[in-house]
Amino acid sequence: MDQKTERVTLNVGSIIVATGFREFDPSVIKEYHYGDYPDVVTHLELARMIDGFGPTGGLIVRPSDRKPAKKIVMIQCVGSRDKRYNSYCSGICCMISLKHAILIKEAYPDTDITICYIDIRTTGRGHEDYYERARELGIKFVKGRPTEVLLDPETKRLIVDVEDALLNRFLELEADLVVLASAMVPAEGTEKLAEILGLELDEDGFFKEYNAKLRPTETKMSGVYICGGTTFPKDVPTTSLHAHSAAVKAAKFLMNGKIVKDQRTAVVKEEYCGDCEFCPVTCPYGAISLVPSDEGHFVARVSDLLCEGCGVCVGTCPLNAIELRNWRPDQMLAQMRALLSINGSSKPLVLAICCSECGHTAVDSSGMSMMQYPASVRVMKVPCTGILQVHQFLEAFKAGAQGVMVVGCKSDGCHYEVGSQIAKRKVELAKILLKEYGVEPERLEMFNMVYIEGAKFAEAARMMVERLEKMGPLRLMGGS
Ligand code: SF4
Ligand code: SF4
């Protein structure tokens, strides 16, 4: 009891963020009068009443006069699926309402309970049984979002106005207690924590996963994991699964006793850095900071620990002051020239520059599925298409390519967040330059695909070769 709040500093090797979520404050929805009428409560408050050790000892009462609540109306999607507040479905409130309604009905069978809903979503294992059980117990369902909760000044009872969309009629439901199924929103302090840990938030303010489908408990920061409601509201079984996954990943990360990094990291040639501040802003991992140089100005410096080796900074630097170890521009140019040095077929030579993630894996899957595409298509692998610079497309044509394909992840699914989008903009810019030089811009094209789309790659390669055949040979200014 005498314990005081204290700040403790821990030296840790890994962090799991499990800060959960919180209930949306429904008082901002003026028409429901939460905070004005004491008998309008949320499910969190109802849960305290249902609890035998709670403030009412398990009795369901009207907070205004402590009399038993005989008529209860529950309102679903309060602040969820509503563009004014949160457009997403909170996912768990339907089950919470069903559970609470069943618990009350089983304990107090005379209680009249109505649930006003838009859709009842019972997607988990055994969850539909809850819905069936609720129906058997006589819990009523009205399909409609109530427009207002009013207070009858004489009876002091609440009245819920709702249009029943199935029966096409307006209802005025009397209630002793109105329970709001409030949306679930990110926990207090999420933004601050994200800033401290260098993590990203999604458009709804929850922590963003490295990959929502494939790496749902990882973040773009090595050694930092997220689980449970930090990424989105979840029920208990899913949260538990998430927690296990995060714990195993953190344990695996710590097991080595050291951090093993790929050599593929960026390095700044400080003597060329012009302190333009482009790269610190562009780096998706916050790996670049500006530090004072010996010459009295600032230069970019890369943290090897944070750098994921995407090369987006390389493609962004206007002064060519950054290189990726083992992916220097001269190495890439040599690779390009070697690939384009011999054709060996009658078809036009095409350079397909593919990112190491979805792009190149799609090429692999086309090969594994024995899909056919012309042998004149030469595949060059780069870490991420974001590494490419406009002049490299032009170099490819100079080296003998009749056409250039840039193959990257989908722009909203890029493994390095922004790489694909940046590459797309550069391809557009290069097309303008090609036109200026009298070269058909259609000789350069960007394709976005996911790693399993081998057929899409093969189709794109065939289409590109056919297009170039129709165009005829490339004629560069001053050359043939
Ligand atoms: S290579 Fe990618 S992760 Fe590394 S510093 Fe450059 S932009 Fe950041
Ligand atoms: S983009 Fe290039 S010039 Fe600009 S700060 Fe970064 S390294 Fe320096």
Side-chain angles (χ1 to χ4, degrees), residues 41 97 116 131 135 148 150 221 225 299 323 368 372 430 479:
V41 300
S97 294
C116 300
Y131 178 70
R135 282 227 170 266
E148 194 160 19
L150 302 164
M221 303 301 271
Y225 304 94
V299 289
E323 288 177 357
M368 281 189 290
Q372 303 270 320

Side-chain angles (χ1 to χ4, degrees), residues 273-279 300 317-319 321-322:
C273 175
D275 182 19
C276 70
E277 299 186 18
F278 284 176
C279 60
C317 178
L319 299 177
I322 313 185

Side-chain angles (χ1 to χ4, degrees), residues 273-347:
C273 175
D275 182 19
C276 70
E277 299 186 18
F278 284 176
C279 60
V281 175
T282 319
C283 173
Y285 301 92
I288 307 179
S289 46
L290 291 171
V291 295
S293 75
D294 296 340
E295 279 75 43
H297 59 93
F298 282 85
V299 289
R301 190 159 294 163
V302 177
S303 156
D304 276 345
L305 203 59
L306 296 178
C307 176
E308 289 289 325
C310 60
V312 166
C313 55
V314 178
T316 307
C317 178
L319 299 177
N320 293 334
I322 313 185
E323 288 177 357
L324 212 53
R325 285 189 180 91
N326 302 330
W327 289 90
R328 292 194 321 268
D330 57 316
Q331 290 173 310
M332 286 167 65
L333 185 60
Q335 194 186 352
M336 194 184 278
R337 285 182 177 151
L339 283 166
L340 297 169
S341 58
I342 306 167
N343 186 343
S345 89
S346 57
K347 304 272 183 198

Side-chain angles (χ1 to χ4, degrees), residues 358-359 361-374 405 407 447-463:
C358 286
T361 317
V363 177
D364 271 351
S365 60
S366 75
M368 281 189 290
S369 310
M370 309 279 191
M371 286 164 190
Q372 303 270 320
Y373 61 85
M405 298 168 66
V407 188
F447 299 90
N448 299 95
M449 52 193 73
V450 291
Y451 66 102
I452 47 167
E453 290 184 309
K456 189 168 177 181
F457 173 76
E459 175 57 33
R462 284 194 298 268
M463 182 278 288

